[in-house]
Amino acid sequence: MPAETTTSFAMPAELSGKDLERRRSLRRMRGVATSLLVIAALVFVLTRDANGWLAYVNATSEAAMVGAIADWFAVTALFRHPLRIPIPHTAIIPRRKESLGESLQDFVVDNFLQPEVVRERLMAVGVADHAASWLLEPGHAERLVHAGSRIAAHGLDRISDDDVEALVRDVMVPKLSAEPMGPAVGQMIAEIVRDGAHTGLVDLVTEELHRWLVSNRAEVAQIVEQRAPWWTPQWVDDRVAARLHLEAVRWVAEIRDDPEHRARAAFDHWLGQLARDLQDDPATRERADRLKERVLNQPQVVATAVSLWTSLKGALTEALVEDGLLRRRAVEEVEALGRRLQTDARLAARVDDLAADVASYAVERHGDELATVISATVARWDGVETAQRIELHVGRDLQFIRINGTVVGGLAGLVIHTLSHLG
């Protein structure tokens, strides 16, 4: 009986909750369609050779039975051989699953993975609003920072010192050696002098120098005595050392306290001239390049770079792993970002637009590659498994074809029988 064949439905043992509900719904609809076929068959048998109005009932049931069987065959032939008989052009999905996967892939690319479609959908969704709501949920910012910190720490740990040494030695040092540094350094110095960005450094140096001179008078005296002629009396050396120390302290204090001091102006002038020479004077640029080469050729350069990286990596890893100031600050910034996304309409619009641009670009450039997951996944499936999966999702609706075939076939049989008697 067709009912026996269509009710057999084997699926992999592990099904999700939705798949179990789909299977139950499919079985219910399949039972309804099969029940109509059984009823039509029973009515046909009971009204066989009847006369009068029962003849019309018999003709209706006969046509309904034929329509039901025909549509059962059509639906079943999609997924398996009806009655397990290898009839040609049946079990279409198991035999043509690769082409079906490719067709489904093309359909998704042509109708869904289009830049304008993706962009319109993302703009309608409101990525910034959803992101803000999620970030401001209790615990979400901490969870995001925790996950990001672990990923960052793991990434840093994966970078070995040997890799950094190779990068510095084989890439950075040759690149710096090949590039003329004079113009770039000269331009940077000119920008620093023009903006006065070096003033803070000068203040710091003069402050520390003044503090050292005040605190180390004996050392200054000792330096003077070591460089004094042997024949000068001790009291002369002491007075000279004291005078030199006093004048040095006064001079450094004047430079520290007077932003317009001549020494500061002279230093600024020297920096400006150096910046111009580094950019325009070939001799100065050549000396700068020779100095650069001497520095880069020192073996200690690579070792120092690796040591600095090791220290930086250790500090960053420790700060990322431990629940310290860095992570707390990161959580605060993430929460602040969520609040800004809710209150700053311009920022939210920029985020929405950026998300739409990124998604549109990815779809436009790599949509075909992304969609290959469909055909690749279908290709890995067994033919029977493919048919079972598809039937699980669309089989319930296909049962309406059987139901409609039974009803329409019965009505057609009634009309034909009536017309034949009227004729």
Side-chain angles (χ1 to χ4, degrees):
M1 282 292 294
E4 296 177 357
T5 304
T6 54
T7 53
S8 61
F9 186 75
M11 280 296 295
E14 296 183 1
L15 290 177
S16 65
K18 290 184 178 181
D19 285 342
L20 289 173
E21 179 58 32
R22 291 190 185 102
R23 183 166 66 177
R24 286 191 293 266
S25 179
L26 171 59
R27 285 175 172 172
R28 285 195 300 268
M29 291 304 301
R30 188 178 282 164
V32 172
T34 302
S35 297
L36 291 177
L37 172 59
V38 173
I39 292 172
L42 289 175
V43 172
F44 173 75
V45 171
L46 293 175
T47 59
R48 189 177 181 182
D49 299 329
N51 297 315
W53 63 272
L54 289 177
Y56 287 88
V57 175
N58 181 262
T60 300
S61 62
E62 180 181 11
M65 186 171 56
V66 172
I69 294 174
D71 286 335
W72 162 82
F73 183 91
V75 172
T76 304
L78 290 172
F79 305 105
R80 62 187 65 83
H81 296 299
L83 300 176
R84 299 187 180 182
I85 301 174
I87 303 172
H89 307 296
T90 59
I92 295 173
I93 291 177
R95 290 189 301 105
R96 295 175 55 89
K97 67 181 183 69
E98 286 81 7
S99 61
L100 290 174
E102 293 173 358
S103 298
L104 179 60
Q105 172 183 315
D106 294 338
F107 174 78
V108 171
V109 171
D110 295 338
N111 295 277
F112 297 97
L113 293 183
Q114 292 297 319
E116 59 276 6
V117 175
V118 174
R119 182 178 184 83
E120 180 181 356
R121 179 57 182 165
L122 285 178
M123 294 300 291
V125 167
V127 175
D129 184 61
H130 281 72
S133 299
W134 188 88
L135 289 175
L136 293 179
E137 286 287 332
H140 284 185
E142 291 85 349
R143 190 189 313 169
L144 179 63
V145 171
H146 177 71
S149 298
R150 291 180 64 87
I151 293 173
H154 180 70
L156 288 172
D157 188 60
R158 298 282 295 178
I159 304 175
S160 67
D161 293 347
D162 292 338
D163 295 333
V164 175
E165 181 180 353
L167 176 66
V168 174
R169 183 184 61 250
D170 301 334
V171 178
M172 296 182 64
V173 170
K175 184 68 175 178
L176 291 173
S177 297
E179 291 292 333
M181 300 297 294
V185 175
Q187 185 177 3
M188 180 181 67
I189 294 175
E191 293 287 341
I192 291 174
V193 173
R194 181 166 57 251
D195 297 338
H198 65 300
T199 304
L201 179 61
V202 174
D203 294 339
L204 177 63
V205 171
T206 54
E207 176 66 29
E208 292 299 321
L209 180 58
H210 181 269
R211 182 179 295 110
W212 185 89
L213 288 172
V214 172
S215 303
N216 295 274
R217 180 176 180 176
E219 282 79 357
V220 174
Q222 184 179 2
I223 293 173
V224 173
E225 291 175 2
Q226 289 176 351
R227 284 163 176 74
W230 60 270
W231 44 266
T232 57
Q234 182 65 39
W235 63 272
V236 173
D237 294 342
D238 293 341
R239 297 197 60 177
V240 170
R243 185 66 180 178
L244 287 176
H245 178 264
L246 178 62
E247 293 299 327
V249 170
R250 288 178 178 175
W251 186 65
V252 173
E254 291 175 358
I255 298 174
R256 180 196 62 187
D257 299 332
D258 184 6
E260 305 297 332
H261 196 276
R262 288 181 299 173
R264 286 179 179 258
F267 182 66
D268 292 347
H269 176 74
W270 177 79
L271 285 178
Q273 185 62 47
L274 176 63
R276 290 188 293 271
D277 291 344
L278 286 172
Q279 295 180 79
D280 303 325
D281 183 47
T284 303
R285 292 168 61 176
E286 183 180 356
R287 289 196 298 272
D289 287 337
R290 288 201 301 268
L291 175 62
K292 176 194 68 176
E293 289 297 328
R294 288 197 300 271
V295 172
L296 292 177
N297 288 331
Q298 295 294 324
Q300 195 62 25
V301 170
V302 177
T304 302
V306 174
S307 178
L308 290 174
W309 163 252
T310 302
S311 301
L312 177 62
K313 182 177 72 170
L316 286 175
T317 302
E318 183 178 355
L320 290 170
V321 172
E322 295 183 357
D323 188 14
L325 179 61
L326 179 60
R327 288 180 60 170
R328 290 196 298 271
R329 181 64 177 173
V331 171
E332 293 174 0
E333 291 298 326
V334 170
E335 292 175 343
L337 175 61
R339 289 190 291 270
R340 281 196 61 195
L341 288 175
Q342 284 189 333
T343 59
D344 191 340
R346 294 181 60 185
L347 176 62
R350 289 199 299 270
V351 170
D352 287 340
D353 194 59
L354 177 62
D357 287 341
V358 171
S360 300
Y361 177 83
V363 166
E364 183 178 7
R365 298 289 182 178
H366 307 289
D368 293 338
E369 291 82 354
L370 292 173
T372 55
V373 68
I374 298 174
S375 58
T377 301
V378 173
R380 289 197 303 268
W381 289 348
D382 177 75
V384 175
E385 180 186 2
T386 303
Q388 291 172 347
R389 289 180 181 272
I390 295 176
E391 186 177 12
L392 185 66
H393 285 77
V394 302
R396 177 184 181 276
D397 295 328
L398 291 179
Q399 301 309 307
F400 286 103
I401 296 177
R402 297 177 57 193
I403 296 173
N404 293 334
T406 304
V407 175
V408 173
L411 293 176
L414 176 61
V415 171
I416 293 173
H417 185 76
T418 301
L419 292 176
S420 63
H421 278 75
L422 290 177

